[in-house]
Amino acid sequence: MTQAAQQMFDRHRETLDQAVTAITNRSFWTPYPESMRTYPEDAVKAAPSKFESLLNQPFALHATGSTQQVGGEVSPYGFELGITYEQPNPQELIATMQGAIRDWRDAGTEVRVGVCLEILSRLNAISPEIAQAVMHTSGQGPMMAFQAGGPHAQDRGLEAVAYAWQAMAQIPATTKWVKPQGKHDPIAMDKRFHIVPRGISLVVACSTFPTWNTYPGLFASLATGNPVIIKPHPGAILPVAMTTRVAQQVLEEAGFDPCLVSLVPDTVDAPLTKALALDPAVKLIDFTGSNAFGDWLIKNATQAQVFAEKAGINTVIIDSVDNLKAITANLAFSLSLYSGQMCTTPQAIYVPRSGIETADGHVSFDDVAAALAKAVQAFLSDNDRACTVLGALQSRETQARIDECRGLGEIVLDSEPRAHTQFSNARIHTPLILKVDAEQKAAYSEERFGPISFVIATENTAHSIELARDVIREKGAITLGGYTTDEVVAEQFEELAMEVATPLSLNLDGGIFVNQSAAFSDFHATGGNPAANASLCNQAFVASRFVVVQSRRHSQSN
Amino acid sequence: MTQAAQQMFDRHRETLDQAVTAITNRSFWTPYPESMRTYPEDAVKAAPSKFESLLNQPFALHATGSTQQVGGEVSPYGFELGITYEQPNPQELIATMQGAIRDWRDAGTEVRVGVCLEILSRLNAISPEIAQAVMHTSGQGPMMAFQAGGPHAQDRGLEAVAYAWQAMAQIPATTKWVKPQGKHDPIAMDKRFHIVPRGISLVVACSTFPTWNTYPGLFASLATGNPVIIKPHPGAILPVAMTTRVAQQVLEEAGFDPCLVSLVPDTVDAPLTKALALDPAVKLIDFTGSNAFGDWLIKNATQAQVFAEKAGINTVIIDSVDNLKAITANLAFSLSLYSGQMCTTPQAIYVPRSGIETADGHVSFDDVAAALAKAVQAFLSDNDRACTVLGALQSRETQARIDECRGLGEIVLDSEPRAHTQFSNARIHTPLILKVDAEQKAAYSEERFGPISFVIATENTAHSIELARDVIREKGAITLGGYTTDEVVAEQFEELAMEVATPLSLNLDGGIFVNQSAAFSDFHATGGNPAANASLCNQAFVASRFVVVQSRRHSQSN
């Protein structure tokens, strides 16, 4: 342990204490402001040119073992990044990381947590640059790439550190155990307790939220003593490469082997994830991505604890509303934001086929669907705003899916391409909204990743709840929205939420959206349905990342 | 929720608070005295006849669905119990249990914990009867059956409840989340957080510690809202049947469906464990038993979180000692207690082939081995004491294993049968100690369950440590004992303990034994090596048994 490392802890101690308070009372808190205006104007302005200066050349990291260069990222805004990254030999890297475990373990909780907090603090400072990298890999719009890729991702990382700190702090370093022996002298034992990491931690990052979905696992594992391999999605390497560089710099300054956080990029043609995931040294796996691969990991990487966030059928149930315009505006934002490429975007919207009651009287099913379509159209009528909100489609597969899905129902709102003023080849498409009957379950109960949603005609709200229960039990969900003016129905939604272990957002009609969750307060996913087996973040997310090894000996004195 | 249930919580609140304090500072504490003398004399005296009154007839429990009677327990002390138990139809039982989840979930943390504490309190009161059942199924001697089957098992159950309480108490029931909006009004959301159980919990009990190894999983799952199926070992049903009866009585008194704790006994010829473990409704599995079956569960029951305690190569390394007589006496007790049928009994004892230093001068390898043999002989020279300490061999397989292992090395102490004064057919055998060279790894690096141990000649202590590291990394271990007078070597043992994630007992030479662990202070197993993937008990043992489901809505008032 170096003095530098201890100073990092001291510097961030107050932030840590506040974070622990926040995860306990779950009120609003963040040390990382989400408004770009609070960051230095120069840094914000310089970010695009800094990003451009990275293009078409190697991106250097501390790399271990023999390496080859891989790359091939293409911005969803229509240009090749041309960046290459060193790919370490996995076996050599794992051997080196195992050699670095002991120092990191023995550094102790304060030092490890201090290093994590310093990494987060420096990541926060380069949020404008991270935003550029996130934008041009994920396709997120600039504002979202800044917020979700920068401060909100850092929030989730800090949240994981706070949980890890809290869990490790429960274990005393030493204790004296004194057992009475009746008339005889008591037996006294001196005991020591050590926090021991599980082993190598593998974080498999995704292409849509390369930082937000990576930071919880990265920081939960690192804080608890495990070296972390980040395996980026081949289409979104840069944001995690920048993250790795910061982590390595801080580790080195603190006196540790920078390989404790290492990047192992691969390519679509020569993927490495399965081999890494099955390596006996890998004891922890964090994964965000498809159900198929997540399920494969859970079934096959049984030597590791797998934390998997997959996909589900996010659901909205509309029973009755006060102000239809306010709720359709709210939903229009959720359906449009990042072109529905969030793991939280609603896909299935259940509405009674007899229509709903509103403060302005009865509205038919068709009129509810039409109101939603109209709200999306209105919201996206300004093309600049549309491009900013929609962002670009991350992959060609998502673009193709829009065409594939058109025939699944009656089109309420067709998807259309949009032209970006700055990036003429950007892959931008507005939402497709389809109208289907409850019986067309095959259409709406499969995940249709991207800007595709279904307004589903049901017999009544009880039927909506029943369908949602069946679909979510089978396929999972990360979000559930409910709209009702009836408290009895609201309690039925609450019961449904518990039955299918999905968080409920009730009657959102303003500046809070079903697809957004707030760190330190909202648990993202519950881990209790097929969409995810873990929640970001909670105790269970950190508690199994370390073990406690004790020793005991007779006390030399009572 | 009934008033009775709330009263249970109030009655035991102080015990709960003390338990939480104990798991936090890990000092000595227990509410369940281990001395039989502190229990009512009448109850202790009446226990054998109460046990006899249960023999040769059905044991009635609240059973759900169509049932058949199963049984067939044989006391290791040499007689058939003749007790039969209802075997519910698993599918019908699971359906009924699922119907009972909601009430148990909605009862809330205090009520569930109160019910658990009342069950434990009543189990404590019938410890003398439980001891009889444990003795005549596991083969434990009467004193151990009382302590390990009664108060020590209850300690571990209470410890699990305390961890569950602590984990659930971290989640606030509600919060108000207020996000500033610059010049605009803040956004305020009211949030509710619900503790939601995972689903059906399956506890697969073992034949050697039917209560001690069952209570942690049973109480951790029940406290967090999960209905529990106990699947007893066909050879040790009665102790968990008695436990189930108490649990059902308390649940019923508290106003809940007694099926929330249910027994599903099976037979060797028609085992049910695999079918139960693969049932999609089963989300939690606690297992104690063989490596083969534990690994099968982890690889196949991937729909569930599996907490498995399997087996390993428990290890002692002797480097140097002050008083050889004191340490061989200590080890003689550990090797003899319950005929080495504890998951914590040492099997591999590494000693330098050049011998060791003692306060009385150098002692050769052969003399160390001989001293150990002599200590065991002396300890077991009184046949009554021997029978009490050794207990009986639970299975014929363990008896047969003694003969199978005789040829694995040079016999230092041969195993001999002993005759019990009261039970003439009791299966009682003294320890077999073999001398082998470090190269005979095949002999000592396989688990030899029962009273079989190896004194292994190594090049030196560094070699002993290296061998222990290799064997434990591959096969696991639950205990590690070290003997040295050199603090440098002591730190090497400490490092080894961390590397192989096995708790270290250093220089035990008195009334504490390597194979015994104290609830609230010693973590039993770490979960970090192949012998077990979970520790009894810690945060990780409870945190993934429930999920948190939240709801949020705009506040009606700030």
Side-chain angles (χ1 to χ4, degrees), chain B residues 11-23:
Chain B
R11 193 179 312 148
H12 301 293
R13 177 71 206 237
E14 200 182 324
T15 301
L16 178 64
D17 290 342
Q18 289 174 340
V20 169
T21 301
I23 59 171

Side-chain angles (χ1 to χ4, degrees), chain A residues 23-29 34 102 105-106 152 163 166-168 170-172 174-181 187 189 191-196 198 298-300 302-303 305 330 484 487 490-491 494-495 497-519 521-529 532-535 538-540 542-544 546-554, chain B residues 23-29 34 102 105-106 152 163 166-168 170-172 174-181 187 189 191-196 198 298-300 302-303 305 330 484 487 490-491 494-495 497-519 521-529 532-535 538-540 542-544 546-554:
Chain A
I23 59 171
T24 306
N25 67 28
R26 309 207 74 80
S27 53
F28 175 83
W29 179 77
E34 69 179 10
R102 185 172 167 176
R105 178 198 76 195
D106 290 349
H152 292 174
Y163 272 107
Q166 195 180 44
M168 293 187 289
Q170 280 199 3
I171 310 297
T174 61
T175 200
K176 175 164 276 195
W177 180 88
V178 182
K179 182 178 181 178
Q181 299 290 301
I187 297 177
M189 305 290 290
K191 302 188 182 189
R192 292 163 70 185
F193 301 95
H194 306 282
I195 304 285
V196 171
R198 283 271 173 190
I298 291 169
K299 281 196 194 308
N300 291 278
T302 51
Q303 89 290 351
Q305 176 82 29
N330 181 280
T484 184
E487 277 303 318
E491 279 307 306
E494 195 96 15
E495 174 61 27
M498 289 191 271
E499 282 178 356
V500 297
T502 308
L504 170 67
S505 294
L506 191 70
N507 295 333
L508 297 187
D509 60 1
I512 299 292
F513 305 95
V514 68
N515 47 331
Q516 295 187 320
S517 69
S521 181
D522 293 326
F523 293 99
H524 174 79
T526 67
N529 72 51
N533 75 348
S535 176
N538 61 11
Q539 258 191 71
V542 299
S544 58
F546 65 92
V547 301
V548 179
V549 177
Q550 66 171 91
S551 67
R552 56 181 184 175
R553 63 202 299 181
H554 287 282
Chain B
I23 59 171
T24 306
N25 65 27
R26 311 207 72 80
S27 54
F28 176 82
W29 179 77
E34 69 180 9
R102 184 174 169 174
R105 179 197 77 197
D106 289 349
H152 293 174
Y163 272 107
Q166 195 180 45
M168 293 188 289
Q170 280 198 3
I171 310 297
T174 61
T175 201
K176 174 165 277 193
W177 180 88
V178 182
K179 182 177 181 179
Q181 299 291 301
I187 298 178
M189 306 290 290
K191 303 188 180 188
R192 292 163 70 183
F193 301 94
H194 307 281
I195 305 285
V196 171
R198 283 271 174 192
I298 291 170
K299 281 196 194 308
N300 291 278
T302 52
Q303 90 290 351
Q305 176 82 27
N330 181 278
T484 184
E487 276 304 317
E491 278 308 306
E494 195 95 15
E495 174 61 27
M498 287 190 273
E499 282 177 357
V500 298
T502 308
L504 171 67
S505 294
L506 191 70
N507 294 335
L508 297 187
D509 60 0
I512 299 292
F513 304 96
V514 67
N515 48 331
Q516 294 188 320
S517 69
S521 183
D522 294 325
F523 293 99
H524 174 79
T526 67
N529 71 50
N533 75 348
S535 176
N538 61 10
Q539 254 190 76
V542 299
S544 58
F546 65 91
V547 301
V548 179
V549 176
Q550 66 171 90
S551 66
R552 57 182 184 176
R553 63 202 298 180
H554 287 283

Side-chain angles (χ1 to χ4, degrees), chain B residues 321-339:
Chain B
V321 304
D322 271 333
N323 181 342
L324 185 60
K325 205 164 169 180
I327 80 115
T328 52
N330 181 278
L331 285 174
F333 181 82
S334 288
L335 296 178
S336 301
L337 185 62
Y338 189 30
S339 313

